[in-house]
Amino acid sequence: MQPQTQKRDSKTRILLGIVGLMAGLMVAQAASANGAYYRKYEVTITNITRGQTFTPLLVATHSPRVGLFDLGAPAGEPLEILAEDGNTAPLTEVLLGAGYEVADVETIPGLLGPGATTTVVVEATRFQRYLSLAAMLIPTNDTFVALDTVPLPFRSRSYTAIAYDAGTEANDQNCLNMPGPRCGGEGFSPGPNEGDEGYVYVSNGFHELPPAADGEVLGPQVYDWRNPVARVTVRRIR
């Protein structure tokens, strides 16, 4: 029987064979019968920017065969929606569709303002020992904060997370094209869009841009950042 390939968003690199999937299901059943396989982790995220706000945060635990994105590669639509609109649902669906490769997917609701901290508890097993998280920065066109496939600690560990640009929308810094309470503009705009870069890269912040004929163009005085943009502490609690 030929291996079954599950079509993935370009940000989730995963290939499942039927034999491997069945083996994973058997291990998952054994883990369910033995609670010692399951581990809980407290994940604490602090927004360390001056003027950017994080949209609801997606936090997932998974195997090393799963990742949210590849630098230099185009963003798939689920990541584009998160980066332009702050909506975690499509990427959550993709992750949950990976079956045993993903242990837990949580969304922390609400907005996380500058200097604020939030915490969530996630589960993992010794077979799914990696953590990823992502959220949009607002007000931006298509910038998101992320950790991608970092190892879960034996006890505790801290990370710094940087901002990435999804490359799916021009960075015009115009409120007409940026959602959220500050601007209230358009969120997800299906691409390709004029002026987009076409690939995921490390974001280079806000810049001084000329005024636009329509809408308000925001400047760097309040909304610029220098990476990193978040501090993440992961602590095993069971």
Side-chain angles (χ1 to χ4, degrees):
M1 181 178 293
Q2 293 297 317
Q4 175 182 320
T5 302
Q6 183 171 355
K7 186 178 181 181
R8 303 292 294 172
D9 165 67
S10 65
K11 304 304 110 199
T12 52
R13 44 192 183 275
I14 183 170
L15 181 66
L16 295 177
I18 289 190
V19 173
L21 180 58
M22 292 303 296
L25 290 173
M26 292 173 63
V27 173
Q29 290 171 354
S32 179
N34 183 353
Y37 274 18
Y38 283 93
R39 304 167 183 180
K40 288 189 176 182
Y41 296 85
E42 181 183 76
V43 182
T44 301
I45 303 113
T46 301
N47 179 342
I48 59 175
T49 70
R50 179 192 174 198
Q52 288 290 335
T53 295
F54 299 166
T55 59
L57 279 143
L58 181 149
V59 183
T61 54
H62 51 80
S63 80
R65 288 179 289 276
V66 174
L68 296 185
F69 60 93
D70 290 312
L71 284 171
E77 189 171 278
L79 181 66
E80 179 181 1
I81 292 171
L82 182 144
E84 294 183 13
D85 198 54
N87 181 0
T88 63
L91 192 53
T92 295
E93 183 179 358
V94 170
L95 289 167
L96 292 176
Y100 177 70
E101 297 291 335
V102 174
D104 198 1
V105 184
E106 303 289 341
T107 290
I108 305 174
L111 302 179
L112 190 68
T117 296
T118 189
T119 299
V120 68
V121 173
V122 293
E123 290 188 340
T125 77
R126 62 181 180 178
F127 303 103
Q128 302 128 335
R129 298 174 293 175
Y130 291 83
L131 174 81
S132 293
L133 63 83
M136 182 186 182
L137 269 64
I138 51 174
T140 68
N141 293 94
D142 60 342
T143 298
F144 63 102
V145 56
L147 285 178
D148 188 26
T149 316
V150 298
L152 289 163
F154 180 71
R155 290 190 177 90
S156 66
R157 183 170 179 177
S158 291
Y159 295 93
T160 52
I162 69 173
Y164 299 90
D165 193 297
T168 55
E169 184 173 309
N171 296 316
D172 59 13
Q173 299 167 201
N174 191 319
C175 269
L176 292 177
N177 301 315
M178 296 189 292
R182 171 61 179 85
C183 287
E186 181 183 23
F188 173 56
S189 55
N193 296 296
E194 183 178 356
D196 66 30
E197 298 84 2
Y199 60 93
V200 180
Y201 63 93
V202 175
S203 180
N204 57 352
F206 258 50
H207 304 277
E208 289 286 359
L209 296 177
D214 298 308
E216 177 188 8
V217 176
L218 301 184
Q221 292 80 7
V222 174
Y223 301 107
D224 191 26
W225 65 87
R226 291 293 178 265
N227 280 317
V229 296
R231 184 177 69 249
V232 181
T233 300
V234 185
R235 180 173 68 91
R236 183 176 173 182
I237 58 177
R238 191 182 76 182

